[in-house]
Amino acid sequence: VITDIHKYTLPERYQEKIEAALKDVGYSLKDPRPIAESVLQLSTHYQTPSSTTPWSSKEFRAAYLAYFFPLNYIRNAKMYGEAINLKFPQNFSHFIDFGCGLGSSLLAAQDMQFLKPEIPIYGIDNFSTPLEVLKSHFLDGMPLRSEIPAKITSSFGVFSYSLNELAKTPSWLFDLEHLLILEPSTSVHARKLMDFRTTLLEKGFHIWAPCTHHEHCPLLQHSKRDWCHDRIHWDQPAWFQEIEKLLPIKNNTLTTSYLLASKTPPPLSAYGRIVGDELPEKGKTRWMFCRGENREFLSWLSRNGEAPSWKRGQLFLEPPVHELKGNELRLTKA
Ligand SMILES: C[S@@+](CC[C@H](N)C(=O)[O-])C[C@H]1O[C@@H](n2cnc3c(N)ncnc32)[C@H](O)[C@@H]1O
């Protein structure tokens, strides 16, 4: 039994909200060229190590609104979809989005119905500008609290693309009951996150996803560069396509590195997860597969017929019928 791959969408109402917020800084989705130019500049800025989000610049705010906000919204929507599939607890006392920016994560959590309406939301950022934009254009009057709640131990905390901007990991992170971290899918950022997984395990967290086990991370252990990341399938809005046409970067699918963790253990223990894209080779197809500390692959021999259309991120709830050949789980049945 393997789980499905879902396609995510930015709800249509965001187009109007983004357009209104862009107007405040003198941009419009109807004129994508200046937005695309700012996106390129902000992408270059993010490539500098230890860079932070420059909210004071109007150009960069426009780039964030029209480009990075929708991308991070979709990445977060995928994470909350995954959490719901895994039956992740939704009865926490507070929801804390740390380094929330324009609220990509908290909005996705609400829209995916992961976040129940009665749970108080904390959106924390050391810049007031994104919080003001979030309140005036995206929250529809919903209250947002802007300091860390006193009661952390029964809270859900999310760090979406913010942990890497902090000089130091806040110590209260380890007191959270539930935790979601998303980081850029680069070798450096993701390997730091994979390393951080060990600290979380030592502090009493259970990893719910992407890992299906608590053994050493095979990618960290058996490779110097490989990094664990997911690939998210989505429908790009037409206005987003107009911006992307002007860019050398293509986001037909999105990647991200993440950890979903909790002090509560998962109710079901899945068997393993596909952690690599399909690798067509002579005579067979392989997918990197994670089910423990060994770096392994699923493989499908061409002589058995057409290879299954499995995708990175898919979860196997039970072991597939296979024969073990070295580091390959050779499948005989899809
Ligand atoms: C790349 S943005 C991510 C925004 C949002 N979470 C998202 O997924 O789109 C990183 C955010 O972290 C915030 N940030 C950086 N350092 C911070 C700190 N020490 N305390 C609170 N927020 C911080 C930045 O202002 C920025 O809004």
Side-chain angles (χ1 to χ4, degrees):
V1 183
I2 67 162
T3 56
D4 282 346
I5 283 288
H6 187 82
K7 225 175 176 189
Y8 290 84
T9 311
L10 183 74
E12 261 178 43
R13 67 176 192 284
Y14 284 102
Q15 177 175 353
E16 214 176 289
K17 291 172 186 290
I18 291 170
E19 185 68 310
L22 281 173
K23 198 169 171 221
D24 292 351
V25 277
Y27 286 76
S28 167
L29 295 174
K30 295 187 191 82
D31 184 13
R33 191 164 295 277
I35 298 178
E37 282 162 13
S38 304
V39 169
L40 268 186
Q41 283 176 30
L42 188 49
S43 302
T44 310
H45 168 85
Y46 277 138
Q47 275 151 29
T48 334
S50 324
S51 53
T52 55
T53 305
W55 288 116
S56 43
S57 140
K58 286 190 174 179
E59 287 90 333
F60 287 167
R61 241 159 86 188
Y64 214 98
L65 276 164
Y67 189 80
F68 295 93
F69 168 79
L71 297 185
N72 284 357
Y73 175 99
I74 295 290
R75 291 178 169 115
N76 277 277
K78 162 71 200 279
M79 297 306 132
Y80 294 116
E82 176 91 20
I84 291 169
N85 282 342
L86 294 170
K87 306 200 183 328
F88 196 86
Q90 287 170 263
N91 59 347
F92 35 84
S93 61
H94 308 80
F95 179 93
I96 309 167
D97 185 347
F98 191 84
C100 66
L102 299 173
S104 340
S105 189
L106 66 92
L107 293 167
Q110 274 192 322
D111 295 345
M112 293 296 293
Q113 295 178 2
F114 173 75
L115 179 53
K116 308 266 188 220
E118 63 275 12
I119 296 174
I121 305 178
Y122 293 74
I124 292 147
D125 207 285
N126 60 346
F127 277 86
S128 57
T129 316
L131 294 175
E132 281 155 21
V133 179
L134 173 59
K135 283 181 191 158
S136 45
H137 292 290
F138 291 93
L139 288 181
D140 300 325
M142 189 191 65
L144 185 75
R145 295 153 179 89
S146 299
E147 71 296 324
I148 297 167
K151 198 157 183 276
I152 286 285
T153 52
S154 50
S155 294
F156 179 100
V158 54
F159 293 73
S160 168
Y161 287 69
S162 58
L163 208 53
N164 69 80
E165 291 200 8
L166 309 182
K168 200 169 162 283
T169 304
S171 57
W172 55 264
L173 176 151
F174 301 109
D175 297 330
L176 287 162
E177 176 68 19
H178 312 293
L179 175 64
L180 171 63
I181 305 173
L182 287 85
E183 283 284 87
S185 153
T186 64
S187 180
V188 172
H189 287 120
R191 287 180 72 88
K192 267 197 198 158
L193 183 62
M194 290 147 72
D195 203 30
F196 191 57
R197 169 182 176 270
T198 318
T199 312
L200 292 179
L201 289 171
E202 284 164 7
K203 299 277 186 186
F205 282 95
H206 300 264
I207 309 295
W208 281 58
C211 327
T212 57
H213 61 90
H214 283 176
E215 293 176 27
H216 290 299
C217 170
L219 295 189
L220 207 53
Q221 180 125 315
H222 302 294
S223 137
K224 290 226 177 327
R225 257 193 64 79
D226 261 6
W227 65 100
C228 183
H229 60 281
D230 196 10
R231 183 176 299 287
I232 302 155
H233 300 258
W234 72 305
D235 288 313
Q236 291 188 347
W239 55 263
F240 186 92
Q241 291 174 24
E242 294 306 312
I243 300 170
E244 205 176 68
K245 268 187 205 159
L246 305 167
L247 293 171
I249 324 159
K250 298 292 169 234
N251 290 290
N252 298 330
T253 59
L254 301 178
T255 55
T256 196
S257 293
Y258 73 101
L259 284 178
L260 177 66
S262 174
K263 300 273 170 65
T264 311
L268 57 100
S269 52
Y271 179 68
R273 189 187 291 276
I274 295 182
V275 291
D277 296 324
E278 175 186 274
L279 298 166
E281 291 171 11
K282 197 159 182 271
K284 64 180 168 188
T285 303
R286 295 197 303 159
W287 301 258
M288 204 193 285
F289 188 64
C290 189
R291 59 166 183 163
E293 65 185 5
N294 295 324
R295 194 167 175 277
E296 294 180 312
F297 294 85
L298 296 180
S299 75
W300 179 269
L301 300 184
S302 313
R303 64 161 189 251
N304 290 334
E306 202 183 322
S309 59
W310 291 327
K311 301 269 188 292
R312 182 193 286 266
Q314 268 176 307
L315 198 62
F316 278 68
L317 299 178
E318 285 160 25
V321 180
H322 69 273
E323 231 177 277
L324 200 59
K325 294 265 181 208
N327 68 355
E328 277 184 24
L329 284 75
R330 209 168 264 186
L331 305 178
T332 44
K333 231 172 60 189

